[in-house]
Amino acid sequence: MDRNNGAPFTPLPKPLIRCTVALVTSAGLHLRDDKPFRKFDPSYRVIPADAHLNELVVSHTSIGFDRVPMQQDLNVVFPLDRIRELVPRGAAGAIGPRCYSFMGAQRDLSVVKEQTGPEVAKRLVGEGVEVVVLTPT
């Protein structure tokens, strides 16, 4: 079996059933009333965990992928409905109060790496989130 020894790995400090989970995506999603993402926008948008997927808009623009599947079902890139199913099934403890969205297809990740990424990480920790599901586009 091949092992990826270069990627950081942090084991869960407790079973998933006792962890709080949140989503972070690079699908360029936001609430309808939020400011749309611009091309190469390094900012992020906050999505309440109780938002309905029909309240979200995709402003990600890239010729690098087919947008049709995510327009048909946002769970393809932002599996909020699937995460919500984990708690009553006893597979996860809770859902964090907020999820976060970035714009994918970044040419320069320095602002995300040095500012907005750490800002979101700090917010997640402050919200008691212990597990983050990252969904790239």
Side-chain angles (χ1 to χ4, degrees), residues 41-121:
D41 188 342
S43 65
Y44 62 89
R45 304 293 181 273
V46 179
I47 300 171
D50 61 356
H52 294 280
L53 293 182
N54 62 2
E55 298 175 70
L56 302 179
V57 175
V58 179
S59 61
H60 192 302
T61 56
S62 173
I63 60 170
F65 66 93
D66 182 2
R67 292 173 42 130
V68 172
M70 67 187 216
Q71 289 172 331
Q72 292 173 337
D73 182 2
L74 279 181
N75 282 290
V76 170
V77 294
F78 193 67
L80 187 55
D81 290 341
R82 303 298 76 86
I83 297 291
R84 287 180 182 142
E85 293 168 356
L86 294 177
V87 176
R89 287 184 185 169
I95 300 172
R98 286 171 275 291
C99 300
Y100 296 88
S101 178
F102 289 86
M103 178 69 163
Q106 296 287 321
R107 288 202 177 150
D108 178 6
L109 288 170
S110 60
V111 173
V112 174
K113 182 180 176 183
E114 297 166 12
Q115 181 184 340
T116 56
E119 194 174 300
V120 166

